[in-house]
Amino acid sequence: MARRPTKTGGSIARGGGVALGEAVFRSLCEALQAGSYRAGDRLREEEVAQRLKVSRTPVREALGRLAARGFVEPAGGRGLIVRNLDISEVLELYAMREIMEGAAARLAAEHASAPEIDALRDIEQAFVEASETDAVEMARLNRAFHEAICRAARNRYLDNASRELQDWIALLGPTTFTVTGRPSTSHREHQAIIEAIAARDGDKAEQLARVHIREALRCRLKLLQKQ
């Protein structure tokens, strides 16, 4: 079983023109993506402030933004807890993800440069070399793969929407790479998508990307059945 990452420690980096509240918000979003926080975990202002070595004011601002986006919800007098998505929300999430990943692959087939295609192959090679016992690393590389396709699509609005969708995916808990056989089938699907993008075949790239997400949903539902 993949090891759950520990919650990030250390202070928030100041500078670069980023407001402290924004930096705390980004840090918490990254912790969600890394699996440091999962559904049902409690977030308290004081604990987050101590861990990030900031005052409670920017933490309160960041937690308010998370609540506004629906990532956390009140837990009585115990602060906030990370939301647990119900099955209908999971199905809606993957339906939107299928549409967006398909569009990204199609646009990448039109716009990706040769170096970007090479980068996709490099990421996939690293995915293959990752130990199948390290599902967390495979999940990280998988995110990098899909983010690279989005960047190659040359559409800032699609890229922004995809990043927000990834935050929601983070609420679902364990990666689908813990499902037996998923790493190998995902690799084959990734390879086929890369080759379609390299061949400038937008129709095929979109079709393959959509099938890839439907397979990810199938594995996600398997995991949910075990909970």
Side-chain angles (χ1 to χ4, degrees):
M1 182 177 292
R3 183 181 69 255
R4 179 173 174 175
T6 57
K7 292 179 175 59
T8 55
S11 60
I12 288 287
R14 294 169 172 77
V18 177
L20 193 53
E22 175 68 18
V24 173
F25 176 74
R26 290 183 186 178
S27 177
L28 291 173
C29 286
E30 288 168 3
L32 283 171
Q33 283 197 344
S36 298
Y37 290 117
R38 291 184 180 169
D41 283 353
R42 191 172 297 119
L43 294 173
R44 291 191 178 93
E45 273 185 27
E46 185 176 1
E47 291 176 354
V48 174
Q50 288 177 350
R51 194 180 74 252
L52 298 179
K53 297 181 175 59
V54 296
S55 71
R56 295 177 65 169
T57 299
V59 173
R60 188 176 304 119
E61 176 189 332
L63 292 178
R65 289 177 64 184
L66 287 176
R69 292 178 69 180
F71 293 160
V72 298
E73 59 189 5
R78 302 173 299 165
L80 299 168
I81 60 171
V82 179
R83 278 196 60 215
N84 185 31
L85 302 186
D86 62 34
I87 189 64
S88 64
E89 290 175 299
V90 173
L91 293 174
E92 291 172 15
L93 179 58
Y94 272 85
M96 184 56 64
R97 189 181 178 198
E98 180 183 330
I99 293 169
M100 291 173 59
E101 296 286 358
R106 172 182 286 278
L107 290 170
E110 297 176 10
H111 301 295
S113 65
E116 286 174 319
I117 294 171
D118 288 341
L120 284 171
R121 292 193 170 106
D122 289 341
I123 294 170
E124 191 56 27
Q125 182 58 39
F127 179 89
V128 172
E129 293 171 358
S131 168
E132 289 206 8
T133 61
D134 193 351
V136 171
E137 176 63 7
M138 285 189 291
R140 185 189 70 78
L141 290 165
N142 182 66
R143 284 196 301 273
F145 178 83
H146 288 284
E147 287 170 0
I149 289 177
C150 259
R151 286 194 300 272
R154 301 287 193 279
N155 188 304
R156 71 192 70 185
Y157 303 104
L158 178 62
D159 190 40
N160 289 338
S162 178
R163 289 177 187 276
E164 180 166 350
L165 208 64
Q166 282 300 322
D167 290 338
W168 284 102
I169 293 290
L171 298 182
L172 298 180
T175 170
T176 55
F177 295 120
T178 59
V179 174
T180 302
R182 181 55 185 157
S184 58
T185 57
S186 184
H187 167 56
R188 291 194 294 271
E189 291 159 8
H190 284 177
Q191 279 189 312
I193 293 168
I194 293 170
E195 294 314 311
I197 290 173
R200 307 300 179 185
D201 190 335
D203 288 343
K204 188 173 183 180
E206 179 174 6
Q207 178 188 19
L208 290 168
R210 294 182 70 126
V211 169
H212 176 56
I213 299 305
R214 287 199 291 271
E215 283 299 302
L217 173 59
R218 183 179 65 82
C219 291
R220 176 61 62 191
L221 295 177
K222 276 188 176 183
L223 286 177
L224 292 175
Q225 288 168 3
K226 296 178 181 179
Q227 293 180 1

